Amino acid sequence: MNNFKANSEETINEMLTSIGEENLDGLFSMIDKKARMETLDLPEALSEMQVQKDVKSIAKQNKIDYTCFIGAGAYKRFIPAAISQISSRFEFNTAYTPYQPEISQGTLQVIYEFQSMICDITGMDVCNASVYDAGNACAEAMLMAARISGKNKILVSECINPQYLEVIKTYAHAGEIEIETVSTIEFKTNLNSINEKLVSGEYAGLIIQNPNFYGTIEDIDILQSMQKHQKTMLIVCAEMVSTSVLKKPSEYNADIVVGDVQSFGNSVSFGGPYAGFIATLDKYKRQMPGRIVGRTLDSEGKQAFTLTLQAREQHIRREKATSNICSNQGLAILNAAIYMSLLGKKGIEQAAYLSAKNANILQNGLKQKGYKILNNNCFNEFVLEVENADEFISKLKSANILAGYKINNSQVLVCCTETNSKEEIENYIKSA
């Protein structure tokens, strides 16, 4: 218990003497007095029981019974109770970044299984142990494509999540990479306008999101035909649940696939933390940022896991590192790995089916009420035209409904997931 006790006067005096100071004021003398607080304006101390009561009374002021129809990159999905029970086990809670594989076998195996499942979902050959989020993954994939191709120009679809685009632009500025955006037509990427650019060999890569930010499924057939003769790497930012019912990115010849696993067992949680991933073809694996966990046999012939490729500055010379600012999101990918294991392919496919079905029911109900849906061929998100977005969102909020994400003054991005019940959808239509 001594480690948890405050220092005694005797201990304080002993430490001050050892550094040549007479008192604590001398210890802090180098700090400007303007920056020091003489006293703290704190209320009287309370018992633990009273503190709990006070905190609960404050928490009750939060309004949490809203029905959510907001997506835009953060999705409220069903999270099985078993996930928190498993991920909170002390074996995971006490595990640190696995620099020492001999004592981190459990954590390393989780990462290995995560990588394997992401490869299965995307159809790619190899996946890293995750990065910060999807925006970070997009930007790192851009740098990766530039290294592989030796080119400093990148095409980016305007239909990508605007937050991801801002991260890409920030990385591009620092990396002296030129960004050229691809225009939008009817809420999907105008791929026909860039065919010549893709085959010109001038650009390192094309970054496209599918389904895109507006929920529209991109023209996969056009992408697939383009890639047969392309000299530009295709980087796909995939929505993970949708990959269970749409073509895998590998089927339309993606070179790099990125995304976020927030949908897999991670709550919305005010916007984070999430976990991005980067998956690619085997021939590009040594250019992939982050780290990769591999499986091997130990000296006794038993299964063992270790960090196989470690291309970060902690492991190799800084100038040789593929990235110096990406780290794996251990807890978030643990939740994702457990989620994928619990639901399996059929469970994730069912979640995707219900999400698309609910979105379709809501679209039809709003159309019958006179509203206009601005995009077609959607997965579980769509753009709704309204007279005034602020007034529309405010009106539905008064009915305990979070109506969607405001795109502009006349457009709202509406999202459905498997968690939206028939009654909630009917209430949305009735309140709109």
Side-chain angles (χ1 to χ4, degrees), residues 362 365-366 369 371 384 386 392-393 395-396 399 401 403 425-432:
L362 181 55
L366 290 169
K369 201 170 180 180
Y371 284 95
L384 178 67
V386 296
F392 180 83
I393 291 171
K395 181 174 72 170
L396 266 70
I401 299 170
I425 294 171
E426 289 175 349
N427 191 32
Y428 190 111
I429 297 168
K430 178 183 176 182
S431 304

Side-chain angles (χ1 to χ4, degrees), residues 14 61 73 131 144 149 179 219 243 245 267-268 291 307 316:
E14 183 181 344
Q61 297 176 38
V131 291
M144 183 177 162
S149 66
I179 295 291
D219 289 324
T243 55
V245 292
S267 63
V268 177
R291 62 184 78 161
L307 290 176
I316 63 176

Side-chain angles (χ1 to χ4, degrees), residues 344-414:
K345 288 184 179 180
K346 289 186 178 180
I348 297 172
E349 186 178 322
Q350 182 72 359
Y353 169 76
L354 290 172
S355 300
K357 178 184 176 183
N358 288 340
N360 184 258
I361 293 170
L362 181 55
Q363 284 184 62
N364 290 334
L366 290 169
K367 286 178 182 177
Q368 290 177 7
K369 201 170 180 180
Y371 284 95
K372 186 177 180 180
I373 309 301
L374 298 180
N375 53 339
N376 300 311
N377 199 27
C378 303
F379 173 54
N380 71 316
E381 292 179 271
F382 57 90
V383 180
L384 178 67
E385 185 178 63
V386 296
E387 288 186 7
N388 185 296
D390 290 327
E391 290 181 2
F392 180 83
I393 291 171
S394 179
K395 181 174 72 170
L396 266 70
K397 191 174 182 180
S398 64
N400 289 344
I401 299 170
L402 300 178
Y405 176 89
K406 178 184 174 182
I407 297 175
N408 55 44
N409 196 46
S410 62
Q411 296 172 358
V412 176
L413 181 63
V414 183

Side-chain angles (χ1 to χ4, degrees), residues 137-138 141-142 145 154 204-209 233-237 254-258:
C138 286
M142 171 190 67
I154 291 282
L206 163 66
I207 302 177
I208 190 168
Q209 186 174 351
M233 295 181 70
L234 176 60
I235 302 168
V236 177
C237 181
D255 295 289
I256 306 173
V257 181
V258 300

Side-chain angles (χ1 to χ4, degrees), residues 191-306:
L191 292 170
N192 290 320
S193 69
I194 59 168
N195 193 31
E196 292 182 4
K197 292 180 179 180
L198 288 175
V199 299
S200 69
E202 186 180 354
Y203 297 87
L206 163 66
I207 302 177
I208 190 168
Q209 186 174 351
N210 189 43
N212 64 32
F213 177 69
Y214 305 108
T216 310
I217 300 169
E218 292 285 1
D219 289 324
I220 295 174
D221 291 337
I222 295 178
L223 276 174
Q224 194 166 5
S225 63
M226 281 181 173
Q227 287 303 97
K228 290 178 182 178
H229 309 289
Q230 62 87 31
K231 295 181 181 179
T232 305
M233 295 181 70
L234 176 60
I235 302 168
V236 177
C237 181
E239 199 289 312
M240 294 309 294
V241 172
S242 72
T243 55
S244 64
V245 292
L246 300 179
K247 278 187 177 180
K248 294 180 180 181
S250 62
E251 294 181 43
Y252 45 98
N253 304 315
D255 295 289
I256 306 173
V257 181
V258 300
D260 206 301
V261 294
Q262 181 272 321
S263 288
F264 285 179
N266 290 288
S267 63
V268 177
S269 299
F270 298 98
Y274 297 153
F277 69 87
I278 302 175
T280 189
L281 303 174
D282 183 73
K283 61 183 176 181
Y284 301 137
K285 64 178 179 288
R286 292 191 176 275
Q287 289 296 333
M288 189 158 57
R291 62 184 78 161
I292 301 174
V293 171
R295 182 177 64 182
T296 184
L297 298 176
D298 64 14
S299 59
E300 297 179 355
K302 297 178 181 178
Q303 177 177 266
F305 298 90
T306 188

